Amino acid sequence: MTHEYTEYTARVPETGATEIPEPGAVTIVVPTFNESQNVRQLLHQITASVPARLPCEVVFVDDSTDDTPDVIRDAAKDCPFPVTVLHREQPVGGLGGAVVEGMKAAGSDWIVVMDGDCQHPPSLVPELVATGERTGAGLVVASRYIKGGSRAGLAGSYRVAVSRAATWLTKALFPRRLHGISDPMSGFFAIRRSAVTADVLKPLGYKILLELAVRSRPRTVTEVPFVFQDRYAGESKSTAQEGVRFLRHLAGLRTASPVARMVGFGLIGLSGFVPNLLGLYALTAAGVHYVPAEILANQLGVGWNFYLIEHLLFRDRRDHRRWWDRLGRFALLANADLVLRIPLIALLVHRFGMSALPATALALVTTFVLRFVGTEALVYLPRRGMRGSRRTAARRAV
Ligand code: GDD
Ligand code: MN
């Protein structure tokens, strides 16, 4: 979507027509959001430590509301390498979305992603690329959590605890894909351009490395330790809202395959027993007859399941029906499941001669699978002809 950018190329390389540096060079992609006090220092540090060891160009992808692009343009005059600013009119996907746009604009074999606030030392850029070349890896992560690394600049014990919990949760959810990555939250890494499959990425917020590791799946990954520095100026742009976005991002990544979605559906269904039983307890304690109490309490479980499924499993498949339409269909399927189970068990016992326990188990599994397939197909499957328009509309709305 190049038309949405304001693009400034501060310097065209002497070799001529294009901005593409020679092979073996690196494109440094820097996402920026209101970093006018930092970008000059960053370019200064890059100038001091990169071009003498490795030809480079720098691409800023900027969503600022301040004068960051102007400061970059001005500072770029002193840089012995090309500097480009892509200013986005709409900050789609936040930090991660910005990084992907920068990667698409890159022309060199290697891309290094780093923050614009000098927390990531540019002197490590040539080493990240050299390590990748030497080991043949597709992805080289600068890690705070291996020997020689540290998170010195992570301000406050609260941030440290949150970061550690997020790392633990993420590694637990993706044990295989993140094997060999001690710091999946790092915002500093080198990746081969050929390993970036931009069209399958759905970046959402800060954790772009996680997105790449899980969806682009570079074949080999290695790590280099680094010391996370203090911010040069200003404050972190991360907010509590960014934390919520991160959880949504995790849920989206984890439920990308139908099998994983079915497991999630089952786990959510199991969790629904809690409100169901609590409701039953409260209603019968209040003197309601157990049959209407069962029916009402079951609706509590259905509501609970619907809420979780909407937010964790089908978050981006909701636009084609109104919420009450989805809730109605979902509730109908859930209740049909209950109503169908008894005759199904009877059928299995009387017609097929099964005994009660295996018949019940088989009926439970059958109605569960039917309900999952039914929910996908009847509640959350975009209607014919709506896929494209829905997606474009969603993109515009972000
Ligand atoms: N284009 C763009 N759009 N850039 C953004 C946006 C955005 O919406 N939000 C933040 N940035 C830029 C900032 O301007 C900065 O250059 C960089 O992304 C990192 O943002 P910070 O706000 O400084 O992040 P942080 O220091 O809290 O977190 C960093 O370290 C974490 C490790 O603890 C990031 O690298 C995280 O990805 C990383 O997990
Ligand atoms: Mn920072």
Side-chain angles (χ1 to χ4, degrees):
M1 284 189 289
T2 336
H3 58 277
E4 282 177 12
Y5 299 136
T6 321
E7 181 170 336
Y8 319 92
T9 300
R11 177 186 285 248
V12 177
E14 263 117 58
T15 45
T18 66
E19 280 173 51
I20 302 173
E22 61 248 55
V26 63
T27 302
I28 302 176
V29 172
V30 186
T32 46
F33 180 72
N34 296 350
E35 301 290 2
S36 59
Q37 298 162 284
N38 289 313
V39 285
R40 186 177 291 280
Q41 174 66 14
L42 179 72
L43 283 172
H44 183 72
Q45 291 183 9
I46 293 176
T47 303
S49 55
V50 183
R53 290 149 74 196
L54 183 67
C56 69
E57 69 166 338
V58 180
V59 175
F60 287 90
V61 188
D62 180 71
D63 294 325
S64 297
T65 49
D66 71 358
D67 61 345
T68 299
D70 297 328
V71 178
I72 295 171
R73 249 188 313 177
D74 190 58
K77 290 177 189 148
D78 304 325
C79 294
F81 45 79
V83 176
T84 308
V85 185
L86 303 176
H87 178 76
R88 303 197 300 169
E89 301 302 337
Q90 287 169 344
V92 184
L95 194 164
V99 168
V100 171
E101 290 305 328
M103 289 177 152
K104 286 188 195 158
S108 50
D109 291 350
W110 281 95
I111 297 165
V112 167
V113 175
M114 66 191 301
D115 291 350
D117 56 2
C118 305
Q119 290 195 277
H120 297 152
S123 54
L124 204 66
V125 169
E127 192 182 327
L128 290 175
V129 174
T131 304
E133 288 282 337
R134 195 175 62 241
T135 59
L139 173 66
V140 186
V141 177
S143 168
R144 296 164 289 177
Y145 300 130
I146 53 175
K147 196 170 177 292
S150 108
R151 45 165 194 270
L154 202 56
S157 51
Y158 169 73
R159 277 292 307 258
V160 172
V162 169
S163 176
R164 193 176 287 166
T167 305
W168 178 84
L169 174 67
T170 309
K171 296 266 298 176
L173 283 173
F174 302 96
R176 260 179 308 149
R177 303 270 172 86
L178 298 181
H179 182 77
I181 303 183
S182 63
D183 195 354
M185 303 292 131
S186 180
F188 191 18
F189 56 90
I191 190 162
R192 278 181 206 270
R193 196 157 58 102
S194 55
V196 181
T197 50
D199 46 325
V200 302
L201 299 176
K202 297 181 187 166
L204 186 64
Y206 268 48
K207 308 307 174 191
I208 180 61
L209 172 61
L210 174 64
E211 175 77 17
L212 284 163
V214 172
R215 287 204 227 264
S216 281
R217 297 192 232 175
R219 255 185 300 140
T220 30
V221 181
T222 129
E223 292 191 316
V224 168
F226 92 105
V227 178
F228 194 58
Q229 308 287 322
D230 282 324
R231 225 174 198 278
Y232 183 68
E235 281 178 357
S236 168
K237 307 303 184 298
S238 181
T239 55
Q241 210 185 338
E242 203 56 60
V244 174
R245 233 181 180 184
F246 167 60
L247 294 177
R248 271 173 51 200
H249 188 196
L250 274 185
L253 284 173
R254 193 54 283 185
T255 57
S257 82
V259 172
R261 257 196 321 274
M262 189 147 94
V263 171
F265 192 83
L267 289 175
I268 291 172
L270 281 180
S271 78
F273 281 122
V274 175
N276 193 330
L277 293 177
L278 285 178
L280 189 66
Y281 173 75
L283 286 167
T284 47
V288 181
H289 185 268
Y290 81 93
V291 173
E294 290 268 10
I295 295 173
L296 283 173
N298 192 54
Q299 304 317 308
L300 259 181
V302 170
W304 167 279
N305 289 350
F306 178 71
Y307 182 83
L308 291 182
I309 280 164
E310 284 262 299
H311 288 86
L312 296 177
L313 286 189
F314 295 106
R315 206 188 165 87
D316 49 2
R317 291 214 242 156
R318 300 181 301 178
D319 301 340
H320 62 293
R321 283 184 207 288
R322 293 181 188 280
W323 73 266
W324 45 263
D325 186 2
R326 300 194 303 271
L327 176 60
R329 286 162 175 264
F330 184 81
L332 212 65
L333 283 164
N335 286 293
D337 173 353
L338 277 185
V339 174
L340 278 179
R341 204 175 298 155
I342 304 299
L344 183 60
I345 294 171
L347 183 77
L348 291 173
V349 171
H350 296 300
R351 183 101 167 71
F352 297 98
M354 288 176 80
S355 52
L357 208 64
T360 306
L362 184 59
L364 272 173
V365 171
T366 310
T367 51
F368 168 75
V369 173
L370 281 178
R371 187 147 67 93
F372 173 69
V373 172
T375 303
E376 283 238 320
L378 302 175
V379 187
Y380 296 106
L381 190 70
R383 284 183 253 187
R384 208 179 277 267
M386 283 198 63
R387 288 167 189 257
S389 58
R390 185 187 57 90
R391 220 173 271 155
T392 333
R395 193 176 290 155
R396 244 181 258 126
V398 181

